[in-house]
Amino acid sequence: MKKRIQYALLTAVAASLLSACTTSPTGRSQVLLYSDQQLSQSGIQAFAGMKQETPISTQAVTNRFVQCIANNIIQQLDKNASPDEWEVVVFESDQVNAFALPGKKIGVYTGLLKVAENQHQVAAVIGHEVGHVIAQHGNERMSQSTLIGVSQEVVNQALSVNGVQQTPAIMSALGLGVQVGLTLPFSRTHESEADIIGLDLMARAGFDPRESIKLWNNMNKASGGQRPLEILSTHPAPETRISKLNANMKPALALYNQVSVKPNCR
């Protein structure tokens, strides 16, 4: 009976994988198990929670500056894309970060504006975060977590059927193996992909892609060198990130030079 349950579970997983396979904007294979509607609803709910928990900036100049940059990035997503469909909020926080969520939500922390020196560098971050959304990285991460959970259940059943004692040490080792071997490197893949998509978006919008390199140098300085080893981090090391951005700079500059009217966000 247990073997039949295992087989049924594995068959269900295989069927889900076959029906959910797609490709990212850069051509990378993905497995997406959730609908756009499900992800959008989750993003909208998460953003509403953020607005309740984190103070929102009332500085008109700051809000106009960020909104202007975001609008120019959003307009590159689709010919019919309207910035009015997106909600952009500046949060009062020392975090040097920004984020974008399914459901057309963008959040920028004021801490980022202290590290990013100009509109181009802010555009690099917003482009990167929007890149996560259009590449459906949230869906992919949720799908991955679901499949890892199913896979661990299959392992649990197999150990039980074969009479192997499931000690905490064995399961802890399995969890660590999953984290370092799969989950974290996968997140670094997302970050690198979002960098490339963001570089393309900012260049198409008329923001200087070369400023992305300066931005990540500023980020590295702001961290004071306090970052974990790359193999145990969800983000690429700054040196890795800069190297990949430089490798994609030539086509980005070509796009940037084609924009006749450049943004002037102040």
Side-chain angles (χ1 to χ4, degrees):
M1 176 64 72
K2 290 181 178 179
K3 288 185 178 180
R4 276 185 285 182
I5 293 174
Q6 287 179 21
Y7 178 78
L9 189 56
L10 287 170
T11 301
V13 171
S16 296
L17 288 171
L18 288 173
S19 63
C21 288
T22 183
T23 56
S24 73
T26 63
R28 182 177 55 82
S29 296
Q30 294 176 296
V31 174
L32 306 177
L33 299 179
Y34 299 93
S35 69
D36 290 343
Q37 183 178 2
Q38 288 173 305
L39 267 293
S40 292
Q41 185 176 2
S42 297
I44 291 169
Q45 290 176 351
F47 201 69
M50 282 288 303
K51 291 192 292 184
Q52 290 180 352
E53 297 170 3
T54 309
I56 296 174
S57 173
T58 58
Q59 297 295 320
V61 173
T62 300
N63 280 282
R64 283 197 303 268
F65 174 68
V66 172
Q67 186 74 58
C68 173
I69 296 168
N71 287 353
N72 280 277
I73 294 292
I74 291 165
Q75 288 170 345
Q76 310 312 310
L77 301 180
D78 184 88
K79 291 182 180 179
N80 299 317
S82 171
D84 294 337
E85 297 176 357
W86 287 71
E87 183 179 6
V88 181
V89 174
V90 180
F91 293 98
E92 287 286 355
S93 171
D94 289 334
Q95 290 190 58
V96 184
N97 210 345
F99 63 90
L101 297 172
K104 300 181 178 180
K105 307 295 182 181
I106 295 174
V108 174
Y109 295 113
T110 51
L112 172 66
L113 305 179
K114 298 174 183 178
V115 175
E117 298 174 339
N118 51 50
Q119 63 173 0
H120 309 284
Q121 294 183 16
V122 176
V125 179
I126 293 179
H128 169 94
E129 298 302 332
V130 171
H132 279 307
V133 173
I134 64 176
Q136 301 194 74
H137 289 161
N139 193 337
E140 196 173 1
R141 286 172 180 173
M142 287 175 60
S143 300
Q144 181 195 26
S145 296
T146 298
L147 291 172
I148 288 174
V150 170
S151 299
Q152 288 180 328
E153 180 60 28
V154 171
V155 172
N156 290 344
Q157 291 190 24
L159 289 173
S160 178
V161 169
N162 294 325
V164 178
Q165 184 179 5
Q166 297 182 43
T167 64
I170 291 175
M171 298 316 296
S172 176
L174 178 62
L176 179 62
V178 168
Q179 184 185 46
V180 177
L182 179 61
T183 308
L184 294 183
F186 207 69
S187 296
R188 291 199 297 271
T189 296
H190 286 170
E191 293 298 328
S192 294
E193 187 169 54
D195 276 348
I196 302 309
I197 295 172
L199 192 69
D200 180 87
L201 287 174
M202 70 179 295
R204 289 180 185 276
F207 296 106
D208 190 342
R210 291 167 294 194
E211 290 289 331
S212 65
I213 305 297
K214 296 179 182 178
L215 167 76
W216 296 117
N217 278 322
N218 292 346
M219 289 283 204
N220 193 28
K221 292 177 183 177
S223 72
Q226 299 300 312
R227 55 184 174 83
L229 293 175
E230 183 169 7
I231 193 172
L232 294 175
S233 172
T234 57
H235 288 61
E239 297 82 5
T240 301
R241 170 168 260 155
I242 289 170
S243 176
K244 290 185 177 181
L245 285 170
N246 275 323
N248 288 272
M249 191 58 65
K250 186 175 180 179
L253 278 173
L255 291 171
Y256 170 69
N257 290 329
Q258 289 174 9
V259 180
S260 58
V261 180
K262 304 291 196 295
N264 185 20
C265 300
R266 295 182 178 178

